[in-house]
């Protein structure tokens, strides 16, 4: 092992083994999706900033979700697009490690932000009289900072454990970006500590938040069923439906990725699911919130009407 071990300066990203024509088509398609991702999330941020009626805890967390989605996509997609056109698909060691850290930090943070959003809806529907006290701006700020800090620290832990490993052999990452499991396969040392930490982090950052979200929405459902007026029920459902769609997409794809039975080509399956995380999910989130949320649609109409009248 020591004879084959080398100092790593760069990796090769294998990406998608496709024909040049198909790669060119995917470059155009993914570029369009990436542009929609940036545009949609920027519109959500702009509407929240422009309309004082959206300056509430729910939209405070939604703005953080939009920032995470744009950063998440921008971390992986530009390099993937460049590799679809270039024959040399190399990435230097330091940018690879940085990409890995940011990918995990944004993913962990999004999990925690979604939990905070579900807790906000729980307090709003189950304890409406105490909502302004429980979800004060101080509490919301602490929750947001905690989400970003925990996500970043957990990602930093993974990176530090990766850096202690030697790499040897063909330094080819069978992925379109530096994903942690794909990079670990290139290490030529005992990886049991890394695997244990990854499993423990998955329980903490995926299973734990999902259970909290399910508990929150089960309580919300019971509270909604006790509402006598049909209008009250409709309004309560409308405030939660968009968030439930986003939670279903994010955690559903994560469950498929980590809990579904392995196929004959698990690495190719992992690439597709990672593509969903990196590109499709951030693109769909603003569409869901704009189509399913009456307040966002109302603000968008008012802004467009104001622009026309000017």
């Amino acid at each position: 092992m020591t004879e084959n071990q080398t100092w790593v300066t760069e990796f090769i990203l294998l990406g998608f083994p496709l024909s040049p024509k198909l790669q060119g088509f995917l470059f155009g398609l993914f570029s369009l999706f990436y542009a929609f991702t940036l545009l949609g999330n920027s519109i959500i941020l702009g509407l929240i900033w422009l309309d004082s009626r959206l300056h509430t805890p729910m939209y405070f967390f939604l703005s953080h979700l939009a920032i995470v989605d744009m950063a998440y996509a921008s971390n992986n997609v530009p390099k993937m697009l460049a590799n679809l056109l270039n024959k040399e698909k190399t990435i230097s060691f330091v940018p690879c490690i940085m990409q890995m850290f940011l990918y995990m930090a944004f993913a962990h943070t999004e999990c925690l932000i979604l939990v905070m959003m579900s807790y906000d809806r729980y307090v709003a529907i189950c304890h409406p009289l105490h909502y302004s006290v429980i979800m004060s701006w101080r509490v919301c700020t602490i929750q947001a900072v905690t989400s970003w800090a925990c996500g970043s620290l957990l990602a930093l832990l993974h990176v530090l454990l990766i850096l202690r490993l030697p790499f040897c052999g063909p330094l080819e990452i069978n992925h379109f970006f530096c994903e942690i499991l794909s990079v670990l396969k290139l290490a030529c040392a005992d990886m049991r500590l890394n695997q244990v930490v990854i499993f423990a982090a998955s329980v903490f950052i995926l299973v734990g938040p999902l259970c909290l979200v399910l508990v929150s929405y089960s309580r919300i459902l019971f509270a909604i069923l006790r509402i006598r007026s049909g209008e009250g029920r409709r309004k309560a459902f409308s405030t939660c439906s968009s968030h439930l769609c986003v939670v279903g997409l994010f955690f559903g794809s994560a469950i498929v990725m980590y809990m579904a039975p392995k196929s004959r080509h698990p690495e190719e399956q992992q690439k597709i699911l990672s593509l969903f995380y990196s590109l499709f999910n951030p693109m769909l989130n603003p569409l869901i919130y704009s189509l399913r949320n009456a307040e966002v649609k109302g603000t968008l109409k008012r802004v467009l009407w104001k622009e026309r009248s000017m």
Side-chain angles (χ1 to χ4, degrees), residues 233-269:
R233 287 188 182 184
R234 187 197 63 79
K235 187 175 181 181
F237 272 118
S238 68
T239 58
C240 298
S241 59
S242 55
H243 182 239
L244 272 175
C245 290
V246 172
V247 167
L249 281 173
F250 187 84
F251 286 101
S253 55
I255 289 172
V256 170
M257 185 171 182
Y258 292 106
M259 301 181 69
K262 291 184 179 180
S263 66
R264 293 187 199 174
H265 307 287
E267 291 181 340
E268 299 304 317
Q269 183 186 61

Side-chain angles (χ1 to χ4, degrees), residues 86-115:
N86 297 334
K87 291 183 179 180
E88 293 185 3
K89 303 179 180 181
T90 59
I91 182 171
S92 300
F93 180 78
V94 174
C96 180
I97 295 299
M98 183 58 67
Q99 187 183 57
M100 186 193 311
F101 166 75
L102 293 174
Y103 172 79
M104 291 185 292
F106 295 140
H108 298 158
T109 301
E110 182 159 354
C111 285
L112 298 175
I113 290 292
L114 289 174
V115 174

Side-chain angles (χ1 to χ4, degrees), residues 65-185:
L65 184 65
I67 292 171
V68 170
D69 282 338
M70 286 192 293
Y72 200 62
S74 299
N75 181 54
N76 299 336
V77 176
K79 182 62 178 176
M80 178 189 70
L81 294 176
N83 286 343
L84 285 173
L85 297 180
N86 297 334
K87 291 183 179 180
E88 293 185 3
K89 303 179 180 181
T90 59
I91 182 171
S92 300
F93 180 78
V94 174
C96 180
I97 295 299
M98 183 58 67
Q99 187 183 57
M100 186 193 311
F101 166 75
L102 293 174
Y103 172 79
M104 291 185 292
F106 295 140
H108 298 158
T109 301
E110 182 159 354
C111 285
L112 298 175
I113 290 292
L114 289 174
V115 174
M116 302 307 173
M117 294 177 73
S118 67
Y119 178 71
D120 170 75
R121 291 300 84 206
Y122 161 73
V123 175
I125 294 175
C126 298
H127 303 283
L129 298 178
H130 304 287
Y131 179 73
S132 60
V133 176
I134 297 175
M135 297 302 295
S136 65
W137 283 113
R138 180 175 177 273
V139 171
C140 292
T141 303
I142 291 174
Q143 289 177 337
V145 171
T146 302
S147 298
W148 283 94
C150 288
S152 300
L153 289 174
L154 192 55
L156 181 62
L157 175 62
H158 287 303
V159 168
L160 292 176
L161 291 176
I162 284 278
L163 290 175
R164 72 184 181 88
L165 297 175
F167 295 92
C168 54
L171 301 175
E172 297 178 342
I173 300 174
N174 192 11
H175 216 290
F176 61 87
F177 73 101
C178 293
E179 197 268 337
I180 184 170
L181 296 178
S182 299
V183 174
L184 270 178
K185 293 177 181 178

Side-chain angles (χ1 to χ4, degrees), residues 111-112 114-116 118-119 122 202-220 243-244 247 250-252 254-255 259:
C111 285
L112 298 175
L114 289 174
V115 174
M116 302 307 173
S118 67
Y119 178 71
Y122 161 73
S202 299
V203 173
F204 171 74
I205 211 71
L206 180 61
V207 179
L210 179 58
C211 290
L212 291 174
V213 169
L214 293 176
V215 169
S216 296
Y217 275 99
S218 64
R219 298 288 297 274
I220 289 172
H243 182 239
L244 272 175
V247 167
F250 187 84
F251 286 101
I255 289 172
M259 301 181 69

